[in-house]
Amino acid sequence: MQGMEDAVGQLPQDPQTALVRFAEWVESRRRNSSPSVEGYIRVKLFYATFIKRYNIQLDITEALSISTPEKSVATIQQLVFAARERLLEDGIEASVSDLLDQYESKVGLNSFGFAKLNDDEKRKIHANINKIRVIVNESAISDRKKNALYGKLDDLASEVDRIGTRTDQFFAFMGDVAFVMGDMATKAKPLLDEVKDMIKTVGRARARQEGVSLPPGDTPLSLPAPDEE
């Protein structure tokens, strides 16, 4: 068919969508001209090769076996149009996935140091943060240190709700807690337990994101034990 090279050159990137667009082009050529036998053979072979190469789930085996190229192409056209909605949905889903991959790359979600928290993990970490607030409030440390910890806890709560959670703030908070352990008295162990639990959740989520295995145990990272009273 005349113009086939140009038509193929203008097809969209996604193979599922491209197949539908090509079928629409073929239909317009069939309506507006009288393609030659050679043209139909080219279209028939294009369909066979395209569907096989891109593993499109459309069975055109019987249509290809039809001896008359024009009838063979007409049957393939019917199959493509019958499956058009499904093919387009598959194509759109793939394109949306590509867009999300581009977004994640742009904002750094594919970078080192991020965790994708699921809903259960977010709820768990928020619960840890709320318990830590209560423990800090009931402790005997100075108001200056309490306010500093409250500010950091606010930052952590916001970080949890991001699409991609940056883990560095959590590990930094773990270091801050280590410096106040000596002033926490009886609140040291409860604080330590909540921080360890939070870090365990964050650490394992980050490991999952980065495709690495952490050593077995309750916590991927550890804090110093509180001083004995």
Side-chain angles (χ1 to χ4, degrees):
M1 289 187 183
Q2 286 187 335
M4 184 170 167
E5 288 81 3
D6 291 338
V8 173
Q10 296 175 18
L11 292 177
Q13 185 177 25
D14 177 73
Q16 306 270 21
T17 308
L19 181 67
V20 175
R21 296 289 175 259
F22 181 75
E24 292 171 346
W25 176 83
V26 171
E27 199 62 25
S28 68
R29 297 296 297 172
R30 293 176 67 207
R31 288 196 305 265
N32 298 326
S33 64
S34 300
S36 64
V37 172
E38 180 184 352
Y40 277 117
I41 291 175
R42 291 188 72 200
V43 170
K44 177 180 174 179
L45 292 178
F46 177 85
Y47 272 128
T49 306
F50 189 90
I51 289 172
K52 181 179 180 180
R53 175 174 295 190
Y54 297 108
N55 195 30
I56 295 174
Q57 300 304 304
L58 186 67
D59 188 0
I60 62 170
T61 305
E62 291 186 13
L64 292 174
S65 67
I66 298 174
S67 58
T68 306
E70 181 177 355
K71 291 182 179 179
S72 178
V73 169
T75 303
I76 296 173
Q77 290 286 100
Q78 292 173 1
L79 292 172
V80 173
F81 288 140
R84 175 162 38 193
E85 184 175 349
R86 176 181 59 79
L87 291 171
L88 284 174
E89 284 179 352
D90 290 345
I92 292 170
E93 183 178 356
S95 66
V96 168
S97 180
D98 288 342
L99 284 175
L100 289 176
D101 288 342
Q102 294 173 24
Y103 162 72
E104 290 184 355
S105 177
K106 180 179 179 180
V107 301
L109 297 187
N110 291 330
S111 301
F112 183 74
F114 283 82
K116 283 186 178 179
L117 300 171
N118 58 41
D119 290 340
D120 287 340
E121 289 168 337
K122 290 182 179 183
R123 282 192 292 268
K124 185 175 177 60
I125 295 173
H126 275 303
N128 291 134
I129 291 172
N130 290 334
K131 290 178 182 178
I132 292 170
R133 289 184 194 277
V134 173
I135 294 170
V136 170
N137 181 60
E138 295 176 349
S139 72
I141 63 175
S142 68
D143 289 343
R144 179 179 62 83
K145 290 182 179 180
K146 284 183 179 180
N147 288 333
L149 291 176
Y150 290 150
K152 292 180 181 296
L153 288 169
D154 289 340
D155 292 340
L156 295 185
S158 297
E159 196 63 44
V160 170
D161 294 326
R162 285 171 54 92
I163 295 175
T165 298
R166 296 167 295 192
T167 60
D168 55 345
Q169 293 189 47
F170 289 88
F171 300 135
F173 181 76
M174 182 176 63
D176 292 331
V177 167
F179 282 101
V180 301
M181 292 294 288
D183 300 330
M184 294 295 293
T186 59
K187 299 298 181 181
K189 187 178 186 308
L191 175 65
L192 180 64
D193 290 343
E194 292 299 331
V195 175
K196 279 186 174 181
D197 193 50
M198 180 172 66
I199 294 299
K200 177 177 68 175
T201 303
V202 172
R204 297 208 178 281
R206 174 171 166 176
R208 182 178 65 237
Q209 170 72 13
E210 295 178 2
V212 300
S213 298
L214 292 174
D218 288 339
T219 55
L221 296 170
S222 61
L223 280 169
D227 295 335
E228 293 292 336
E229 292 297 323

